[in-house]
Amino acid sequence: MKKVIIIRYGEIMLKGANKRFFEDKLVKHIRHAISDLGKPKVYKQHSRIYVDLENYDETQLIERIQKVFGITLISTAKKFEVDMDRIREEALKELQDRVNFDGVKTFKVISKRVDKNFPMQSLEISRDIGGYLLQNQEGIQVDVHNPDTVIYVEVREEAYVFSNKIMGLGGLPIGTNGKALLLLSGGIDSPVAGWMVGKRGVDIEAIHFHSYPFTSERAKEKVLDLAKILSIYVGEFKLYSINLLPIQKEINEKCPEEEATILSRRFMMMIAERVANKVNATGLITGESIGQVASQTIESLHVTNSAVAMPVFRPLIAMDKVDIIEIARKIDTFETSILPFEDCCTVFLPKRPATKPRLEKILRSEGKLDMEALIEDAIANMEVEKIRLGDI
Ligand code: ATP
Ligand code: MG
């Protein structure tokens, strides 16, 4: 008998002729996610992926696999040759484990016969096993509607018995949907935004703006830490760092105070778009959400958005902060995000930021600046950091 992890994927099944491409990516990402835990065999078979457990730590492997985008369900199963007596025996052991470890009192059997040469149909198998379990285990009952545990039996080229179904994250495998550049601040929202777009299979790279030495080395470290957590899900990527301070100083000197934030937001977008073009990303991602702050009113978003031609993905646009925080906690970025280091936006924070900026007025202010030179300089001084998995 062998123990295997069974991995199921949902949406990939709908990909028709492209299914192979998605599956191969998924296998690659699963292998990568567990690569430092040894080299368990990972393989695809009939629209599922299997990982042979052998001597590996099941809990550790599952914890990793659970974070790979594109997976809907994970189970750990016993796998053995197809033989009805053996299936009964293994199903009983499985049930006994559930009784002893989880105290279950009710169960039901769900069977699936994939091998059509097997003489019994799915329902017959379930009935047979159910009867056998009732006869051989005391103190349990069948409950078809709301059982404490389900014993799953599958008859394929080999037989599988299992009783757990762990939820995966869903989504699509990274690298199946182009590339986008995430504007990553040190806050709560942008890591969540990157994670959400990554979940749709988009390759992510990130850009961060700081105002060093007005913002500290620690603030930079915090962004690096957030990037590392994100890389657990989206894989290794590059983080580009831009010093926005010269631009902020220039804005501060030449433009109305209340426009400082919106003007620097537009610079961020323009710089991000240029960097995206350089690295073959075809979209930008931000953590903006309608009405969250002055720079995220509908009017402000319009002005920010007008700075670029590239599509800007804003997955949090209609989400409430509590719901964003819930995701931040789930993906483990929250505790890092709330560390109290200053952000580049707070350096020249106007006392009364414009909440209804008008584009023509903002463009007039920009006319007072040597935009091209400022942007080119900022990019020329850009630093690049490679974010590797397992650096945490
Ligand atoms: P967050 O929690 O992500 O910091 P926020 O609520 O503080 O967001 P803003 O500061 O208005 O909102 O920023 C809106 C979005 O602009 C951020 O989600 C992020 O995508 C981008 N952004 C803001 N500041 C920076 C920065 N310093 N570097 C890179 N991107 C930034
Ligand atoms: Mg912020």
Side-chain angles (χ1 to χ4, degrees), residues 266 269 288 300-312 314:
R266 278 174 59 90
M269 299 300 275
E288 289 161 313
S300 297
L301 285 166
H302 168 235
V303 173
T304 310
N305 200 56
S306 305
V308 291
M310 193 173 266
V312 182
R314 298 179 172 89

Side-chain angles (χ1 to χ4, degrees), residues 31-311:
R31 282 201 184 116
H32 189 65
I34 60 178
S35 55
D36 64 319
L37 301 176
K39 288 239 174 307
K41 201 171 152 208
V42 182
Y43 51 98
K44 188 178 73 180
Q45 210 171 55
H46 305 304
S47 301
R48 283 174 173 198
I49 293 168
Y50 294 90
V51 180
D52 284 346
L53 267 169
E54 292 172 52
N55 300 320
Y56 296 100
D57 181 338
E58 177 181 328
T59 320
Q60 226 179 5
L61 283 176
I62 288 182
E63 217 178 316
R64 295 289 183 82
I65 293 169
Q66 253 185 309
K67 292 182 174 154
V68 177
F69 292 141
I71 293 170
T72 49
L73 284 170
I74 305 165
S75 302
T76 40
K78 288 180 259 185
K79 170 182 168 182
F80 45 90
E81 76 283 1
V82 176
D83 171 80
M84 204 51 203
D85 284 336
R86 184 78 196 277
I87 295 175
R88 291 186 191 110
E89 195 186 305
E90 294 298 346
L92 179 60
K93 278 193 213 150
E94 188 71 30
L95 180 68
Q96 285 169 340
D97 279 352
R98 297 282 71 77
V99 169
N100 295 335
F101 296 123
D102 307 331
V104 308
K105 298 216 164 9
T106 58
F107 76 100
K108 102 180 185 185
V109 179
I110 295 182
S111 308
K112 195 169 183 176
R113 182 194 62 159
V114 181
D115 176 6
K116 299 292 176 219
N117 294 320
F118 191 72
M120 293 162 90
Q121 292 184 6
S122 301
L123 269 178
E124 281 176 79
I125 302 174
S126 294
R127 235 176 270 138
D128 179 299
I129 305 285
Y132 184 80
L133 297 182
L134 280 173
Q135 268 174 18
N136 290 280
Q137 175 64 38
E138 289 193 346
I140 49 146
Q141 286 181 324
V142 171
D143 181 343
V144 286
H145 300 297
N146 195 18
D148 294 339
T149 188
V150 177
I151 304 295
Y152 297 92
V153 173
E154 294 188 0
V155 180
R156 297 169 177 264
E157 281 127 47
E158 288 179 273
Y160 296 84
V161 169
F162 55 95
S163 60
N164 66 341
K165 275 192 175 175
I166 302 163
M167 295 283 283
L169 293 170
L172 295 167
I174 285 285
T176 55
N177 255 318
K179 193 202 275 186
L181 184 65
L182 167 68
L183 282 82
L184 180 64
S185 71
I188 296 168
D189 305 327
S190 46
V192 173
W195 183 86
M196 284 177 77
V197 175
K199 187 152 110 66
R200 296 305 302 163
V202 177
D203 242 326
I204 304 286
E205 295 204 313
I207 185 164
H208 174 67
F209 299 89
H210 59 85
S211 313
Y212 191 79
F214 280 40
T215 53
S216 65
E217 209 46 64
R218 301 273 304 275
K220 243 179 171 176
E221 285 296 318
K222 174 182 165 181
V223 175
L224 220 54
D225 286 344
L226 286 172
K228 285 174 188 170
I229 298 171
L230 202 55
S231 79
I232 295 173
Y233 302 94
V234 305
E236 292 162 9
F237 65 88
K238 290 207 181 96
L239 173 67
Y240 305 97
S241 294
I242 299 265
N243 192 338
L244 203 65
L245 189 57
I247 293 177
Q248 290 174 305
K249 281 182 172 163
E250 199 66 9
I251 293 173
N252 202 40
E253 208 170 287
K254 301 194 171 140
C255 304
E257 193 209 349
E258 71 274 12
E259 293 176 1
T261 309
I262 198 82
L263 283 166
S264 57
R265 298 279 306 121
R266 278 174 59 90
F267 268 101
M268 284 189 198
M269 299 300 275
M270 288 185 251
I271 292 169
E273 184 181 49
R274 290 208 196 178
V275 173
N277 278 323
K278 275 185 206 277
V279 302
N280 293 322
T282 49
L284 302 177
I285 307 164
T286 74
E288 289 161 313
S289 166
I290 295 172
Q292 206 186 74
V293 286
S295 58
Q296 296 175 34
T297 61
I298 289 272
E299 293 85 355
S300 297
L301 285 166
H302 168 235
V303 173
T304 310
N305 200 56
S306 305
V308 291
M310 193 173 266

